[in-house]
Every structure is written in structure tokens, then in C-alpha cells.
Amino acid sequence: MKTPASTLEFAILGLLSRQPQSGYDLRKAFATNLRYYSDSPGSVYPALRRLEARRRIGVADPPRRKANSRGRQTFRLTDSGKAALVAWLEQPAGEDASRNLSELMLRFAFMDLNVPRSTTLRFLNELGDALAARAKELRQRYAAMSSRMKVNTGLLSFEAWIVSVEGYVRWARRAHGRLSGKSQRVS
Amino acid sequence: MKTPASTLEFAILGLLSRQPQSGYDLRKAFATNLRYYSDSPGSVYPALRRLEARRRIGVADPPRRKANSRGRQTFRLTDSGKAALVAWLEQPAGEDASRNLSELMLRFAFMDLNVPRSTTLRFLNELGDALAARAKELRQRYAAMSSRMKVNTGLLSFEAWIVSVEGYVRWARRAHGRLSGKSQRVS
DNA sequence: TCCTCCATGTAAAAGGTTACATGATTTG
DNA sequence: CAAATCATGTAACCTTTTACATGGAGGA
């Protein structure tokens, strides 16, 4: 059985792990609470059908609904869906962190309730280290570039990239501190 | 005649506006200097063929090359390609800036040499303002969320989003200062 | 009943990813 | 010239975007 592939599908699994909800609810969550993900019906509903076909999710309230009816359906994770979600969450952050940042942040958002706190903390360490290494490398390239040319938009754009990566490094360190502090026994 | 649609195509036009180069060069640039864009042959070469079919780019060195030959080809912008690039660059930043940030940053990177400095500065102002408004709105949502729950990864992930947007606001202000300073008459 | 949102569904077109294939060019 | 690397090309698959369509629920 194929494992869910697209990030959108994992985002759906993650949201459903918090609480069962409908496709419409998911779309609203994508539009407001979650960065990066599509809230268009043409992506969400087909993704739900794919997940249902693979038994990762199921309809929570099948009783009333004639064939081919519409109306609201509430989806929930199946055991296999939960397992797929956890397997995705437990992957290491990896060295190519800055390429996948958006996906890594999404994974992080769903770690509570699904993986132990220790896994989350390890993830933050790996992420912080990988991003710090990347930032250093970018800084070196920046130094070489900036010595060859005057200030220009290409250079400034590159700088924005670096600043962004460094911002995430600081965030990761702070987040680690906050999660490993007094509130450690949240779950 | 259809205007180039995908961001990848505009990224190619932007790189070619700096200097004529081959598909392979473009792929290397995507892999190293530019965030966000695909460096896979399956995306770059078809995009080049599309742009060539629409007369946005042309082969700079057609002389030697038998039919169906391979080997390096150097592409350059046509007048129509340059016009399409400039039209893309001149669009206002818009209010949905935080959704399109990666595309907006790409546009910014190519503004030098292609649009007047005044356009670039206006763009930075619009971008900064739009992102600042967005950050404020996110901060409000964050306050509401954080009062309802303990620290958790969902909340921290949301916070990373905010911090990132605020970082871009600061960057935009600083970039504006640097471009409007003494080095104003660069072009 | 009519009108307006809510909620879901679908089809067509387009683009990107992956994996592979093949033609050039360089290096020893 | 053989091997390695450079440079381009291509096909299958999958997903997203866009635009539209349809069914239900509630209010006037």
C-alpha cells in the first residue's frame, strides 16, 4: 500500500490528528492557520479521496447520507493514517534543511500529541545545527559576492535569504529552550 | 501571444537579462544562487523550449549545429522577452505579499538593470508596508491563540511564521535605506 | 418559494519531479 | 580511444490551479 506522498496529504493527516473535521474545515485551516498550503477545493477534496482510498482516513459520520449525496462529511484518522503521520514526523531533519524548511516547519507543528517530547527536541537540535551550517556557508558566498560588486538588488535578495535562515536558527534555539523548560511535562 | 506564466519561466528571463547563458548554467544558478527554484533538467529544458516557442528567448550561437545535434546552446533574451520581464517586475507588490513572498523576492533580485531605481524603492515600500500589516494581524491571532493554550509545537510554529515575516519587514526597510543612500546613482 | 451562503465535486490544462536516455566534450 | 563528465532531452506520473457545477441549509 502506497504511503501518502504529497506534503498536502501529510498536512491533512496532521490536522485530522488534532481533531476530526471536514474538508471545508481543513481548507479554512490552510487559509488561516497554516502557511504554505493550498486551500483550493481542487487540491483538498481530491487529496481527501486519495487518503480515503488508501485507508489513511475515514468518514466519521457515515449514518445518514444517501448515495451520491453531498453535505458535510467529517473525516478522522485511521490507525494506519496515524502510523503514517508518526513515521513522517519521526524522520530526522536532515542536512538539506533549508531546502525543505516549509515541510520541516509543518512537521514540527504536528509533533505535539503525536511523538514524544524527546523526539521534538532532537528535531529542533538537528534543524538548528543544519540551518546554522547553511547560514555560515551562505555568509561565505555572500562575502565573496559583495567584494566583487556594488550594492544591488541581487545581492540584497541574497542577503534576505541569509537573514531568513539565521532567523530560523534563532527561533529553533529559543523553541528548544521553551520546550525543554518548566513546561516539559505537558504531555 | 501568451505571456510567460510560471515563476520558473520568469526566473529564467531574469537570469538571462544579466547575461546570455545555457540551460546548464541556469540550472547551476538555480541550485546555488537562487532560492526556491527548480534545477532539475525536466523543468528547465522544457521551460526553455516554451520560452523559445513564444519568442521570449533565442539561441545566441546558432551557426554550427547540425539538425538534432546536442551540445551547449547559449540563450539570450529577445526584445519581447525583455518586455515581458519588465512588465512582470513593474507590477505592484500587492497586499497578498506574504503569500507570494518567494516570487516577490525573485522579482526584486532582477530589478537592477531592468527597472529604474524609483520603481525598486516603491516596491520595497509597498512590500514593507504589506508585510508589516500582515505581521500585525498575525500577532493578534497569536495573542488570541496563546491565551487559550499552553506552549506547544503548533503555537511555536505559528510564531516562527510571524518572526519570519517581521524579519522581512526589517530587511525591506534596511534595503530601502541602502538603495536610496549614497549609491543612488548606480544606474 | 426564492435567494444566498455553505460544502463538496469535477474536468481540463499546465507544470514539476523523477528516472532514464543519449549526444558532446574533455581527460588521461 | 576509453572513461568520465558535461549538457541536453524525454516520458510517465502526479499534483495543483482554475473555473465551473451541483447539492444542501437556513432565512426572508
Side-chain angles (χ1 to χ4, degrees):
Chain A
M1 182 165 307
K2 240 181 81 181
T3 191
S6 77
T7 308
L8 174 62
E9 288 172 2
F10 284 115
I12 290 174
L13 294 182
L15 285 173
L16 291 181
S17 81
R18 291 179 176 168
Q19 57 180 317
Q21 51 193 311
S22 70
Y24 195 71
D25 295 330
L26 293 168
R27 285 178 55 206
K28 279 188 299 187
F30 287 135
T32 61
N33 296 332
L34 241 45
R35 225 168 153 191
Y36 301 120
Y37 295 95
S38 171
D39 65 332
S40 72
S43 59
V44 173
Y45 293 110
L48 285 169
R49 276 187 276 109
R50 289 196 299 271
L51 289 169
E52 195 178 16
R54 293 172 200 155
R55 311 288 176 199
R56 300 302 195 223
I57 64 175
V59 179
D61 51 359
R64 54 203 137 86
R65 258 178 80 83
K66 332 163 208 178
N68 273 9
S69 166
R70 296 204 175 197
R72 187 185 202 89
Q73 307 182 59
T74 302
F75 294 94
R76 55 166 180 70
L77 280 190
T78 63
D79 290 344
S80 124
K82 164 89 176 185
L85 175 63
V86 168
W88 179 63
L89 294 177
E90 280 177 340
Q91 293 175 292
E95 312 89 36
D96 50 350
S98 85
R99 291 228 163 253
N100 308 4
L101 234 194
S102 68
E103 181 168 343
L104 292 175
M105 293 305 299
L106 185 72
R107 277 171 53 190
F108 178 78
F110 295 127
M111 287 191 178
D112 270 342
L113 310 173
N114 289 305
V115 300
R117 177 53 45 94
S118 59
T119 301
T120 305
L121 293 175
R122 179 159 21 91
F123 174 88
L124 280 176
N125 275 332
E126 287 176 18
L127 179 62
D129 292 349
L131 291 179
R134 180 70 163 157
K136 186 177 172 188
E137 176 197 330
L138 292 175
R139 277 270 169 224
Q140 287 168 352
R141 290 230 306 273
Y142 179 79
M145 288 168 65
S146 64
S147 69
R148 288 204 317 269
M149 56 182 79
K150 280 187 282 195
V151 174
N152 61 56
T153 61
L155 203 59
L156 287 171
S157 174
F158 194 83
E159 194 187 296
W161 181 6
I162 299 176
V163 168
S164 168
V165 173
E166 290 174 343
Y168 275 98
V169 173
R170 281 194 301 278
W171 170 84
R173 307 303 191 202
R174 235 181 320 134
H176 188 283
R178 286 222 252 160
L179 289 179
S180 62
K182 288 173 191 157
S183 51
Q184 190 163 17
R185 70 199 176 294
V186 160
S187 172
Chain B
M1 183 165 308
K2 239 182 79 182
T3 190
S6 79
T7 307
L8 174 62
E9 288 172 3
F10 284 115
I12 291 174
L13 294 183
L15 285 173
L16 292 181
S17 80
R18 292 179 176 167
Q19 56 180 317
Q21 52 194 309
S22 70
Y24 195 71
D25 296 330
L26 293 168
R27 286 178 54 207
K28 280 188 298 186
F30 287 135
T32 61
N33 296 330
L34 241 45
R35 226 168 152 189
Y36 300 121
Y37 296 95
S38 171
D39 65 332
S40 72
S43 60
V44 172
Y45 292 110
L48 285 170
R49 277 188 275 108
R50 290 196 298 272
L51 288 168
E52 194 179 16
R54 292 173 200 154
R55 311 288 177 197
R56 301 301 196 223
I57 64 175
V59 179
D61 50 0
R64 56 202 133 87
R65 257 178 82 82
K66 332 163 208 178
N68 273 10
S69 166
R70 293 203 179 202
R72 187 187 201 87
Q73 310 182 59
T74 302
F75 295 93
R76 55 166 180 70
L77 280 190
T78 62
D79 290 343
S80 124
K82 163 89 176 184
L85 174 63
V86 168
W88 179 63
L89 294 177
E90 280 177 339
Q91 291 176 293
E95 312 89 36
D96 50 350
S98 85
R99 292 227 162 253
N100 308 5
L101 233 196
S102 68
E103 181 170 342
L104 293 175
M105 293 305 300
L106 185 73
R107 277 171 53 192
F108 178 78
F110 295 128
M111 286 191 180
D112 270 343
L113 310 174
N114 288 306
V115 299
R117 177 52 46 94
S118 59
T119 300
T120 306
L121 292 175
R122 179 160 18 92
F123 175 88
L124 281 176
N125 275 332
E126 286 176 19
L127 179 62
D129 292 349
L131 291 179
R134 181 69 164 160
K136 186 177 172 188
E137 176 197 331
L138 292 175
R139 277 269 169 227
Q140 288 169 353
R141 292 229 305 273
Y142 179 78
M145 288 168 65
S146 63
S147 68
R148 289 203 317 269
M149 55 182 81
K150 281 188 282 196
V151 175
N152 62 58
T153 61
L155 204 60
L156 286 170
S157 173
F158 194 83
E159 194 187 296
W161 182 6
I162 299 177
V163 167
S164 168
V165 174
E166 290 173 342
Y168 276 98
V169 173
R170 281 194 301 279
W171 170 85
R173 306 305 191 200
R174 234 180 322 134
H176 187 284
R178 285 223 253 159
L179 289 179
S180 61
K182 288 172 190 158
S183 51
Q184 189 163 17
R185 69 198 177 295
V186 159
S187 171

